[in-house]
Amino acid sequence: MSETPSGAIADGKSSLAHLPPGEEQVEGLPPGFGDGIAGKAAFAIAVAFSAFQIYIAAYGSLPSQVVRAMHVGFLLLLGFALIANLRATSLPAKAFFWALGLLGFGTGLYNWVFYTDLIRRSGFLTTPDLIVGAVLVVLVFEAARRLMGLPLAVIAFIFLAYCFVGNHLPPPFIHRGYDFAQLVDTFAYGTEGIYGTPIYVSAAYIFIFVVFAAFLERAGMIALFNDFALGLVGTWRGGPAQVCVLSSALMGTISGSGVANVVASGQFTIPLMKRFGFRSAFAGAVEATSSMGGQIMPPVMGAVAFIMAETLNIPYADVVKAAIIPALLYFGACFWQVHLEAGKAGLRGMAKADLPNPWDAVRQHWPLVLPLAALIYLLFAGYTPVFAGTMGLALTIVLILGTPLAALIGPLAFRVVFWLALGLAAASFMKFGVNILSLVIAALVIACLAFKGGRETLQICIDSLAEGAKNALPVGIACAIVGIVIGTLTLTGVASTFIGWIISIGENNLFLSLVLTMLTCLVLGMGIPTIPNYIITSSLAGPALLSLGVPLVVSHMFVFYFGIMADLTPPVALAAFAAAPMARESGLKIGIQATKLAIAGFVVPFMAVYTPALMLQDAGPIAAQFGYPVEVAYIVLKACMGIVLWGAAAVGFLAARMAWWERLVAFAAGVLLVAAVPLTDETGWALSLAWIGWHIWRARQAPA
């Protein structure tokens, strides 16, 4: 079933055009769902999982604790089913993993059936309660180990072990000790353990957006992004690499996984960059860096943004507002360094005649933009992310199901009337609620069942539901196991020890505290995805930075950014190693190049701490004298100049190749601009302008 080809919505005349199958490798799992009856069963489970989550998002008729438990139950069932089908080789092993999956699903059903009883006997669990809870913890660990790798499971196990043996440790790590029943109650039934905030966000927000992205990809959004990027920036110097940066930034609006973006788009962009003349390591680094940056690209960003909004209890739009300028600087730095690298290698852009017209691509695929536009409007109009995501997903389904019906209508005027009527019916959800959209989708499904082309379109929708559930597995399992870490921090209070340590350092040197926090993020990121990295580090370092006077949103964005940078930083750079097979180059070499490309991601968080206006937060002294817009504009200008200088220093090229001492001067000038210490701005601007002027003059004097 999973081999059904993707579709692209073209216009009212055409049916769903074929694109390459959207079968990409999910972290820890090969493509597909398996063969035979077992494969069909796993596929059906994935569809049921998506249907359950969409129903809950639309109607919310179950208690939150039940939804969380069933979400984890489905994750375990689907995860172990796919492990059985795709990785187990012997029949006993397959049967064993299917049994684990059914056991995991049973824990969710247990919470649903005995929901009221579990609330009444909270803190006084029965023997069956303890057994089910212990089984849940063990299964979450095993699923995380199988799907996410050993590092995350090991870190969570260290925290769990601390709960059992911490009362025997010396101060300041000693705690009062907890018995087995209390630990099971905390981790398996409370809202501070596996069913804590991360799994709530996964069930309420992230899953819907992952399925939304799967539908858009099946409908042809990747083709639209690629054609638009090719036509818009393909003629720039280093065209294929510029296309990679822009298309990855656009993909960030619908996908929250940087590593998945590398795998999905890198198959197209990396070989293109290599054929054009870029070094293999640089081509892989461009794809890895720009794909990871998609997680910080408004308006949708990655899954961490939703977790951050829920953790800080602020509107999602506030998180997006703080990310706008840093995201533009991040991708601006990527564009700039690609431009410099191409100049250094003597590469030009692609021929305009060989590229698609970007606006023709938009005109051809413009219906795909409508659900995304509706999603953005709802997010910024103050609606909850779950409502916005559900409505965006529903509108995408309406669009896909309506396309083959419109293709049956002959005259253009009638097709226009059909789309207008369908659009008005779908848009009426703003007044009449979600029921009207459900009726519209039900009517379209019935109509599509009546003819062959419609039935094929329905199969594409079913495949999208299954792919969305499979794509959500790594995120959901990571959110489940990181609940063990959060539960330990809450139960034992060990976080306060770490916070006190950071604060004691920061009282004398805030910069040193920031560096320690950065290193913590980078070390934790060695093999751990961005989501658990952010949750763990923000729980430890976020309150400490806040106590040192760093604004709340800025402190969490600081941790968020370095969680992303961890996937690019050697020695364990997940995004770089994901790009390595396609680039046919060492992951370590790609990681080194990616670290250079992502220089803005390392610098901007530090700048934002000292000048929060960079994230549109607290005003500084410049605002008091000249106004807030002037301060923002000046800080952005400084950041841009720093990126220009550091990019040139990293590549060794500006208008011509640079000597080693020129690179040192450029780097030093950038440091002075960013330092935010008295007189460093003036010195930095003077040195920057003098050096750039001298370098350009020298380049013009050199022989051609």
Side-chain angles (χ1 to χ4, degrees), residues 633-648:
Y634 176 69
I635 292 168
V636 170
L637 184 63
K638 277 206 313 176
C640 289
M641 180 57 80
I643 287 170
V644 167
L645 294 167
W646 283 330

Side-chain angles (χ1 to χ4, degrees), residues 206 218 245 256 298 306 399 422 481 555 613:
I206 297 172
R218 287 276 177 170
V245 175
F306 298 106
L399 196 62
L422 191 59
I481 195 167
S555 64

Side-chain angles (χ1 to χ4, degrees), residues 233-242 276-278 342-343 345-351:
V233 301
T235 56
W236 293 9
R237 182 197 284 178
Q242 306 285 22
F276 196 73
F278 284 104
L347 304 176
R348 299 183 181 275
M350 294 183 284

Side-chain angles (χ1 to χ4, degrees), residues 115-131:
Y115 169 68
T116 304
D117 296 332
L118 287 170
I119 291 178
R120 288 173 178 167
R121 58 178 180 252
S122 178
F124 302 94
L125 300 179
T126 63
T127 300
D129 296 340
L130 294 175
I131 293 173

Side-chain angles (χ1 to χ4, degrees), residues 38 80-81 83-99:
F80 283 118
I83 292 170
N85 291 353
L86 302 176
R87 293 174 62 183
T89 54
S90 65
L91 187 60
K94 292 178 183 291
F96 173 72
F97 285 119
W98 269 102

Side-chain angles (χ1 to χ4, degrees), residues 299 317 370-383 387-388 429-430:
L370 297 179
L372 203 55
L375 173 69
I376 295 169
Y377 167 76
L378 292 171
L379 283 174
F380 284 92
Y383 292 91
F387 179 81
F429 77 87
M430 293 293 292

Side-chain angles (χ1 to χ4, degrees), residues 545-622:
L545 295 180
L546 182 63
S547 300
L548 295 171
V550 180
L552 182 64
V553 174
V554 174
S555 64
H556 280 254
M557 290 294 286
F558 185 92
V559 171
F560 178 19
Y561 268 65
F562 285 111
I564 291 174
M565 292 302 103
D567 280 340
L568 299 173
T569 308
V572 185
L574 291 180
F577 279 93
M582 292 169 282
R584 299 179 185 273
E585 183 57 274
S586 159
L588 184 61
K589 291 182 180 178
I590 293 175
I592 293 171
Q593 288 291 330
T595 304
K596 294 180 183 178
L597 276 169
I599 192 167
F602 287 95
V603 176
V604 166
F606 283 92
M607 289 188 67
V609 169
Y610 290 100
T611 51
L614 189 64
M615 290 185 178
L616 301 179
Q617 300 300 306
D618 300 352
I622 298 177

Side-chain angles (χ1 to χ4, degrees), residues 170-555:
F173 301 106
I174 189 172
H175 60 65
R176 65 181 180 84
Y178 309 96
D179 60 27
F180 179 77
Q182 186 175 1
L183 293 177
V184 170
D185 194 14
T186 299
F187 292 125
Y189 293 102
T191 55
E192 297 294 341
I194 291 173
Y195 300 145
T197 298
I199 209 67
Y200 163 72
V201 175
S202 175
Y205 304 155
I206 297 172
F207 192 96
I208 291 297
F209 280 86
V210 172
V211 175
F212 181 42
F215 269 90
L216 285 177
E217 289 175 17
R218 287 276 177 170
M221 184 62 88
I222 293 179
L224 170 59
F225 286 161
N226 285 340
D227 287 348
F228 182 77
L230 274 168
L232 196 65
V233 301
T235 56
W236 293 9
R237 182 197 284 178
Q242 306 285 22
V243 169
C244 174
V245 175
L246 180 58
S247 62
S248 295
L250 293 172
M251 274 301 294
T253 61
I254 64 169
S255 174
S257 173
V259 175
N261 280 357
V262 172
V263 175
S265 59
Q267 302 174 49
F268 163 75
T269 58
I270 293 176
L272 182 62
M273 285 186 275
K274 289 178 65 176
R275 286 199 303 270
F276 196 73
F278 284 104
R279 294 176 290 114
S280 296
F282 186 80
V286 171
E287 177 59 51
T289 306
S290 51
S291 290
M292 293 308 299
Q295 295 183 74
I296 59 171
M297 185 65 186
V300 179
M301 303 174 63
V304 171
F306 298 106
I307 296 175
M308 187 186 302
E310 189 68 29
T311 302
L312 301 181
N313 195 26
I314 60 175
Y316 176 76
D318 288 356
V319 177
V320 172
K321 183 180 76 171
I324 289 175
I325 293 176
L328 294 176
L329 292 174
Y330 182 95
F331 282 102
C334 291
F335 279 121
W336 174 242
Q337 289 197 62
V338 166
H339 178 81
L340 295 178
E341 181 72 23
K344 183 179 180 180
L347 304 176
R348 299 183 181 275
M350 294 183 284
K352 189 172 183 179
D354 298 334
L355 299 175
N357 185 313
W359 307 114
D360 283 348
V362 173
R363 281 192 293 271
Q364 184 181 8
H365 300 283
W366 65 267
L368 288 173
V369 181
L370 297 179
L372 203 55
L375 173 69
I376 295 169
Y377 167 76
L378 292 171
L379 283 174
F380 284 92
Y383 292 91
T384 63
V386 64
F387 179 81
T390 305
M391 294 303 103
L393 172 59
L395 292 175
T396 305
I397 296 173
V398 168
L399 196 62
I400 293 174
L401 294 177
T403 298
L405 300 177
L408 296 175
I409 302 174
L412 175 63
F414 290 166
R415 288 201 304 274
V416 171
V417 170
F418 170 80
W419 281 117
L420 285 175
L422 191 59
L424 289 173
S428 61
F429 77 87
M430 293 293 292
K431 182 175 182 180
F432 300 106
V434 71
N435 285 333
I436 190 69
L437 260 180
S438 300
L439 291 174
V440 170
I441 292 173
L444 289 173
V445 168
I446 293 171
C448 285
L449 285 171
F451 59 95
K452 184 178 179 182
R455 290 192 291 273
E456 293 174 349
T457 304
L458 285 175
Q459 187 60 54
I460 287 174
C461 291
I462 294 171
D463 288 346
S464 299
L465 290 173
E467 286 296 328
K470 185 180 179 185
N471 293 341
L473 265 180
V475 178
I477 291 296
C479 287
I481 195 167
V482 86
I484 300 290
V485 178
I486 302 302
T488 301
L489 297 177
T490 304
L491 184 66
T492 64
V494 69
S496 61
T497 303
F498 185 86
I499 291 168
W501 180 54
I502 292 289
I503 291 174
S504 65
I505 295 172
E507 286 175 347
N508 301 317
N509 193 330
L510 174 59
F511 180 77
L512 184 57
S513 290
L514 296 174
V515 170
L516 289 172
T517 303
M518 176 190 75
L519 292 176
T520 302
C521 294
L522 295 179
V523 170
L524 278 176
M526 291 183 180
I528 299 179
T530 309
I531 293 173
N533 189 350
Y534 163 76
I535 294 171
I536 295 170
T537 316
S538 64
S539 301
L540 291 170
L545 295 180
L546 182 63
S547 300
L548 295 171
V550 180
L552 182 64
V553 174
V554 174
S555 64

